[in-house]
């Protein structure tokens, strides 16, 4: 996700990290690239008798609040999670999204 890259870059450069909103009212479904790759691998190696095509959400299926994501990135980068400048929420920002991974779990027998 672009947010993770921006947060890592800000901490690496010693720049102020800007967060829109309080970090509790915004959440997303973050998945690591290796988890997504595993899901794609499982999709490519399905049994021949399975349905040939399906539309699936390859994701964690777990919402992560922005505040928690920032704290995790800060911890991993040696940054200060308190070094965040809070700004007002931006008009049009969606509170949160996360994927329904039920079909992926059933068809691929895994989740990201």
């Amino acid at each position: 996700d672009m947010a993770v890259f921006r947060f890592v870059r800000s901490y690496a450069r010693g720049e102020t990290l800007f967060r829109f909103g309080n970090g509790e009212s915004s959440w997303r479904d973050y998945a690591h690239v290796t988890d997504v790759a595993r899901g794609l691998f499982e999709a490519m190696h399905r049994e021949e008798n399975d349905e040939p095509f399906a539309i699936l959400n390859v994701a964690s299926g777990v919402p992560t609040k922005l505040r928690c994501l920032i704290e995790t990135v800060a911890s991993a980068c040696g940054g200060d999670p308190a070094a965040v400048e809070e700004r007002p929420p931006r008009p049009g920002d969606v509170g949160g999204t996360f994927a329904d991974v039920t079909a992926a779990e059933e068809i691929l027998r895994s989740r990201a």
Side-chain angles (χ1 to χ4, degrees), residues 4-109:
V4 175
F5 172 76
R6 287 194 328 263
F7 298 158
V8 169
R9 184 182 59 199
S10 292
Y11 281 126
R13 293 179 178 174
E15 298 172 347
T16 300
L17 193 146
F18 300 102
R19 181 185 68 227
F20 297 92
N22 64 9
E24 292 294 317
S25 59
S26 176
W27 61 93
R28 300 287 183 270
D29 187 332
Y30 295 98
H32 193 273
V33 66
T34 56
D35 297 325
V36 174
R38 184 177 63 243
L40 294 173
F41 180 84
E42 294 293 333
M44 292 182 340
H45 294 91
R46 292 177 28 204
E47 298 292 326
E48 288 184 29
N49 58 351
D50 287 342
E51 285 189 42
F53 301 100
I55 297 172
L56 306 173
N57 287 319
V58 179
S60 72
V62 177
T64 300
K65 291 185 179 182
L66 183 59
R67 180 182 301 279
C68 180
L69 176 68
I70 290 171
E71 290 170 355
T72 301
V73 171
S75 175
C77 296
D80 179 4
V84 176
E85 183 178 313
E86 184 175 321
R87 293 190 172 173
R90 294 177 292 193
D93 274 355
V94 175
T97 61
F98 64 100
D100 179 350
V101 296
T102 306
E105 289 176 329
E106 291 173 1
I107 293 172
L108 303 179
R109 296 164 195 75

